[in-house]
Amino acid sequence: MLGRRDAMRAITMSAFAAPVLGAGTASDPWARANHIAARVRGPKFPRRRFDIRNYGASGDGITDCTAAIRSAIRACHEAGGGHVDVPEGRFATGAIHLLSNVDLHVTEGARLLFSTDPKAYLPLVLTRFEGVELLNYSPLIYAYGQRNIAVTGSGVLDGQADNDHWWPWKGSGDHGWEPGEPRQAEARAALFAQAEQGVPVKQRVYGEGGYLRPSFIQPYRCENVLIEGVTIVNSPMWEIHPTLSQNVLVQNVTVVTHGPNNDGCNPESSRMVVIRGCTFDTGDDCIAIKSGRNADGRRVNVPSEYILVEGCTFRDGHGGMTIGSEMSGGVREVFIRDCAMSSPNLDIALRFKTNSVRGGFIEGFHARDLEIGQVGGSVIDVNFFYEEGPGHGFNPRVGRIDVRDMTVRTAKRALNLRGYADASIRGVTLRDVDFGVTATPSVVEHVEDLVLRNVRANGEPLIVP
């Protein structure tokens, strides 16, 4: 796999450099959003069908179907593409690796039960852990350098993670870990140190003994990706994690999983992404746009850009719509519209988290027509003091944030905007926003060009310090 890496990087970077805007979209952000919606359609597949039972799979919930599923995927790919069908039943499996022109179709009544044995995710693959490249356990569903791939259907993908499997590796007593048991802390620190020191990726070898949990679904350097209809539960870590990929459609997916770092959908260094009609009920951020961490993010230096979120429902989560914190490669042109958020366990509705170690930029965030019920913390939070905070040499650049036509029922605080004295947040515009009932005053520090037009809280015009 590593032998193909330079070629794949050249192909992907060339695609990322291609123009995407249509005529007349430059001055109208929502025309750009419509352009993204029109361009990202999802791949089409031949009508060939490959039932995994014909390759030895049994839906008894016990038989290991890994080899059968892989054989069906290979046969489908070699035939020129089509659909690999997972029929009604409970199918136990290890890592699934998709190939070009293959749709893994999980039908209604089907449940893929992913092994809790880490050895089921060997051999190691090129992946990212919290924004840093390494060789680690395979994600549960993985693809590298493929085109026209999909995971579809109305069945269930069950990672079977719980306080006895995967989650304790976080090293938190809240998720089953006890002192003296294995945890990720040491390997995580070693990986981050290697990245800062410029150790080549091929030497960042983890897996067994490292306790770094894999993502659930990760297309890596892929093009034309569809994830549609499925329900995802009990994940080891991040759920849907397109990395260095483009033309990605995540549609009508339900994510219900409350483990540590159980983000719902994390496009990372990816381009032309649509997340539509999904429901997120998560143990971490519902959606978090990312682009690599610290020195490694700057080394790869690929932003996430042209991302549209529409018609989604957000429930529990640290953040609803989030950018960061691993955003060292930058994020530009993100759109969210026609979404609903509400939960006493939703900490922040619109969250932007970075610091002077992450650096990076956010250029162009556009939100409209949002209905927000209950939020436990701030509605809009732009925080340069996340984790390491200031003084580390890579001040972030954040600006062109525009939020309009948003209503809120209740929240602790309307705004928490905290820039640096030497790196202000530049350009925040709110139009026709009602923050409903808020308990504490807003915090606004080092913000230039804050514009409030018809913005209210507690029945009065919003007053900021």
Side-chain angles (χ1 to χ4, degrees), residues 240-354:
I240 303 170
H241 184 201
T243 305
L244 291 158
S245 294
Q246 68 171 344
N247 294 333
V248 178
L249 176 59
V250 180
Q251 185 164 268
N252 300 329
V253 171
T254 299
V255 175
V256 182
T257 178
H258 289 85
N261 310 109
N262 273 201
D263 293 18
C265 186
N266 292 357
E268 183 165 12
S269 299
S270 290
R271 180 180 201 258
M272 296 296 283
V273 178
V274 173
I275 306 169
R276 175 184 296 129
C278 297
T279 297
F280 298 101
D281 191 349
T282 68
D284 208 310
D285 296 322
C286 294
I287 294 175
I289 312 300
K290 300 179 181 290
S291 61
R293 183 186 184 106
N294 303 354
D296 211 54
R298 290 184 281 273
R299 175 186 64 83
V300 177
N301 195 31
V302 174
S304 279
E305 57 186 358
Y306 305 110
I307 296 172
L308 170 64
V309 178
E310 59 183 1
C312 292
T313 299
F314 302 76
R315 295 176 181 150
D316 288 9
H318 292 178
M321 181 70 207
T322 298
I323 297 178
S325 67
E326 300 89 353
M327 47 158 278
S328 302
V331 177
R332 65 166 62 93
E333 294 301 296
V334 175
F335 304 84
I336 177 172
R337 62 186 177 190
D338 302 317
C339 291
M341 306 183 188
S342 185
S343 172
N345 300 314
L346 178 62
D347 295 339
I348 298 166
L350 304 179
R351 186 181 192 190
F352 309 78
K353 48 181 176 175
T354 186

